Amino acid sequence: MERNLEFNKNEDLYKQLVQQLQAKAKKTRLGGGQKKIDDQHAKGKLTARERIEYLTDKDSPFLEIGLFTGDGMYAEYGGCPSAGVVTGIGYIHDRQCIVVANDATVKAGAWFPITAKKNLRIQEIAMENRLPVIYLVDSAGVFLPMQDEIFPDKEHFGRQFRNNAKMSAMGIVQIAAIMGSCVAGGAYLPIMSDEAMIVDKTGSIFLAGSYLVKAAIGEDIDNETLGGATTHCEISGVTDNKFPNDQACLDYIRSIFNKIGSYEKAGFDRIEPKAPAEDPNEIYGLFPADRVKPYDTLEIIKRLVDNSEFDEYKALYGKTLICGTARMDGWAVGIVANQRKVVKTKKGEMQMGGVIYSDSADKAARFIMNCNQRKIPLVFLQDVSGFMVGSKAEHGGIIKDGAKMVNAMANSTVPKFTVIMGNSYGAGNYAMCGKAYDPRLIVAWPSAQIAVMSGASAAKTLLQIRVSALKAQGKEISNEEQQKLLTEITDRYNEQLSPYYAASRLWVDDVIDPLETRKVISMGIEAANHAPVERFNVGVIQT
């Protein structure tokens, strides 16, 4: 395509965002730091990431889930990179599986509140997609200073063991390798798996360690005798096999996966993949640096889909939402995307880009139902400011039409995947399959912002509330003080808008380079193809 000054400016700025992403990812993957990594090696142990690399097929893709989980959190305790656990989807003997590996370089693999949330998220992915799970256990257990935030509630630590039992009943294969500490309640996780291995001298498993045993019942015993590999493989029978080192244990897991039978497929359509005809690298220049500036989302779609071919649905109706079918890496997909350019209706009215109008919502609801009828996975490309407001929109039934779209999307039984490219504000986040609506995977580009409303709108609203509260207390505030207060509020709110803030809290599964989008969607649909879909029933929709 023809490049101009604006394209080059956009490209330069977006490449900076990608470089920041890459630098942040590289630092995060170091976990607790090089010294802690060296300590692992000195004990004859591989790190969590080295274990995953050794276990999975050579040169195969690994789709990490939650790399930035915990980012910027728990500073008072020294931080918790990746929540102290590495999770994702990989391949063993060409078979997709989930891998969960405790990172002992981060607080000895201890569980923080966000660690529990991350483990539950990866188990959710396993259950939705019926994927086998491998647990590489090396954890000191609950992080005691925060035990009240991780132990007793429904979505806390114990929920993982409940999921172990549920997955077993669902026929999902679970394999565990005890490669370090496995303490207290955490001891149930590997033993509730189908098969549990243990590494000699470095792996140990017990409900209470030697110090607690001494304090509780007065018995003097060392940890190896209490719960080491020899004890559990030869005396208790708690574990199934022991191995001399990490590599031998991982080799055995690979041999298990070499003999697992096939699975019932959902039947999503795939043909030979084709690269986009339009250069995907041009996304950097097409995406505007000014997030309120319009652009043609169709041009982005052409750089994501196979051969840049897109069959648009109702192209002349409901123009602020683009709906249509295409292929991504060979997989048939139905795409619902916010159109960011200003569009003109047949009546000559101008509609703002990124805003969902009644006709757009109606169109999307019908399209979503069609994709369910045809067993086509859905991909939502978000750059949304919200639903249209004002008397004309209200009188035209925007709430009813918006409800149609949300109803169809929420009840959709084909797998849904969400990519937050730019804005993701308010009810627009919901309608476009935000985290609350169970996308199989949800990722954000570095240009994403997620919040109830834009930073500028929110800051002005929050300022008005603050000023009103001060006046109610009989305090006057000058224009200069108001401006200073506005700056403080804006800075704080903008920090919360960051995609990394969202990723830290698992509102999104990852922040990705736009060029990784096809890989994420492809691996996500391949995972979803392990789980046959139920019949679609949209429920009650008002017409």
Side-chain angles (χ1 to χ4, degrees):
M1 68 171 292
E2 184 179 343
R3 300 185 174 214
N4 54 31
L5 183 62
E6 183 178 1
F7 182 99
N8 291 334
K9 179 183 175 183
N10 291 339
E11 184 179 48
D12 289 344
L13 289 172
Y14 213 109
K15 283 183 175 180
Q16 288 178 30
L17 291 177
V18 171
Q19 287 170 359
Q20 291 166 11
L21 167 64
Q22 292 169 344
K24 193 175 186 69
K26 182 178 180 181
K27 181 180 179 182
T28 303
R29 289 190 178 103
L30 286 174
Q34 191 59 52
K35 184 178 184 303
K36 295 288 186 181
I37 293 172
D38 293 341
D39 290 344
Q40 284 283 98
H41 292 163
K43 295 173 185 176
K45 297 165 67 175
L46 300 174
T47 65
R49 295 182 185 280
E50 289 168 344
R51 286 167 178 164
I52 292 172
E53 184 178 5
Y54 187 95
L55 175 66
T56 53
D57 294 344
K58 187 177 180 181
D59 297 325
S60 67
F62 181 74
L63 181 59
E64 185 165 353
I65 307 294
L67 172 63
F68 298 112
T69 309
D71 180 61
M73 300 173 70
Y74 313 122
E76 67 273 32
Y77 298 114
C80 187
S82 287
V85 60
V86 183
T87 62
I89 303 173
Y91 295 87
I92 301 177
H93 288 293
D94 296 321
R95 178 164 190 139
Q96 256 191 347
C97 60
I98 295 285
V99 185
V100 181
N102 299 116
D103 187 351
T105 71
V106 180
K107 296 291 186 294
W111 281 51
F112 284 72
I114 197 66
T115 315
K117 185 174 183 179
K118 182 173 178 177
N119 279 1
L120 293 177
R121 171 58 179 151
I122 200 67
Q123 285 188 322
E124 178 184 44
I125 291 171
M127 288 189 283
E128 285 179 330
N129 298 296
R130 301 284 204 281
L131 288 178
V133 186
I134 300 162
Y135 303 101
L136 306 180
V137 186
D138 193 347
S139 172
V142 167
F143 186 64
L144 285 177
M146 303 188 77
Q147 66 85 28
D148 62 319
E149 298 180 47
I150 189 175
F151 170 66
D153 210 346
K154 180 179 178 180
E155 300 298 328
H156 283 177
F157 194 10
R159 186 77 172 182
Q160 182 166 334
F161 311 140
R162 175 262 189 195
N163 288 349
N164 287 143
K166 288 288 186 181
M167 283 191 279
S168 180
M170 293 167 67
I172 297 172
V173 174
Q174 297 176 86
I175 305 296
I178 301 157
M179 312 184 87
S181 297
C182 189
V183 184
Y188 286 105
L189 184 148
I191 309 311
M192 292 185 75
S193 299
D194 301 305
E195 192 166 347
M197 282 69 70
I198 188 167
V199 178
D200 198 18
K201 305 304 182 209
T202 56
S204 60
I205 178 169
F206 33 65
L207 294 181
S210 56
Y211 292 122
L212 185 54
V213 167
K214 173 69 174 175
I217 63 173
E219 181 183 4
D220 281 312
I221 189 169
D222 63 89
N223 282 338
E224 184 64 26
T225 305
L226 180 66
T230 298
T231 294
H232 285 310
C233 284
E234 300 181 23
I235 300 173
S236 72
V238 166
T239 52
D240 300 306
N241 285 294
K242 68 176 179 179
F243 299 90
N245 52 46
D246 284 6
Q247 291 88 339
C249 186
L250 297 170
D251 286 337
Y252 183 75
I253 295 175
R254 285 187 57 83
S255 74
I256 292 174
F257 270 74
N258 195 30
K259 302 173 184 68
I260 292 177
S262 189
Y263 56 91
E264 185 181 357
K265 295 179 174 63
F268 305 125
D269 188 63
R270 191 182 197 188
I271 62 173
E272 187 69 26
K274 292 181 180 179
E278 303 286 348
D279 185 2
N281 289 282
E282 291 178 343
I283 291 173
Y284 299 153
L286 290 167
F287 205 91
D290 182 352
R291 66 179 51 255
V292 300
K293 194 161 188 176
Y295 64 92
D296 189 353
T297 307
L298 273 171
E299 293 301 320
I300 302 291
I301 292 172
K302 289 177 184 177
R303 286 153 180 82
L304 294 175
V305 301
D306 289 16
N307 209 34
S308 300
E309 294 175 350
F310 180 68
D311 298 323
E312 192 168 357
Y313 172 77
K314 285 183 175 286
L316 303 178
Y317 177 74
K319 295 180 180 180
T320 63
L321 274 179
I322 299 170
C323 299
T325 53
R327 292 188 182 272
M328 282 194 182
D329 199 36
W331 294 103
V333 295
I335 294 174
V336 181
N338 301 109
Q339 175 57 285
R340 287 296 305 187
K341 72 177 183 179
V342 178
V343 299
K344 189 175 183 180
T345 68
K346 194 172 182 179
K347 296 178 181 178
E349 298 168 336
M350 303 305 291
Q351 294 184 338
M352 294 184 291
V355 177
I356 302 174
Y357 289 77
S358 286
D359 54 355
S360 303
D362 175 68
K363 176 173 80 170
R366 293 169 184 269
F367 178 72
I368 289 166
M369 289 188 279
N370 284 349
C371 286
N372 274 270
Q373 291 288 78
R374 300 166 191 175
K375 205 184 284 190
I376 300 174
L378 287 160
V379 176
F380 292 83
L381 302 178
Q382 283 197 21
D383 193 349
V384 58
S385 303
F387 283 88
M388 189 59 191
V389 297
S391 60
K392 186 173 181 180
E394 298 292 359
H395 297 170
I398 185 66
I399 296 174
K400 180 182 69 175
D401 290 320
K404 286 184 196 176
M405 179 179 175
V406 171
N407 196 327
M409 182 271 299
N411 284 295
S412 174
T413 56
V414 295
K416 299 170 291 194
F417 302 90
T418 302
V419 180
I420 303 175
M421 305 187 302
N423 303 332
S424 181
Y425 298 149
N429 169 281
Y430 295 163
M432 293 293 292
C433 196
K435 183 65 181 290
Y437 291 85
D438 297 323
R440 295 292 177 97
L441 293 172
I442 177 169
V443 295
W445 289 0
S447 46
Q449 287 191 350
I450 306 164
V452 170
M453 61 181 75
S454 69
S457 298
K460 290 174 183 176
T461 303
L462 290 168
L463 177 64
Q464 290 172 3
I465 294 170
R466 185 78 66 86
V467 170
S468 297
L470 290 170
K471 286 182 178 179
Q473 298 170 15
K475 299 177 182 178
E476 291 296 326
I477 182 168
S478 67
N479 289 336
E480 291 79 9
E481 290 172 322
Q482 285 193 36
Q483 188 58 48
K484 182 181 178 183
L485 197 54
L486 178 63
T487 301
E488 291 174 0
I489 292 170
T490 302
D491 289 345
R492 185 167 63 251
Y493 196 86
N494 283 341
E495 180 184 347
Q496 296 173 0
L497 287 171
S498 164
Y500 300 107
Y501 189 92
S504 176
R505 289 149 182 82
L506 272 176
W507 302 344
V508 297
D509 293 316
D510 205 358
V511 182
I512 65 166
D513 183 335
L515 302 185
E516 293 286 296
T517 305
R518 283 168 53 84
K519 168 191 164 184
V520 170
I521 300 301
S522 178
M523 289 185 68
I525 298 176
E526 183 180 351
N529 205 35
H530 287 71
V533 297
E534 300 172 2
R535 186 179 69 84
F536 176 63
N537 186 350
V538 75
V540 177
I541 290 187
Q542 290 185 331
T543 57

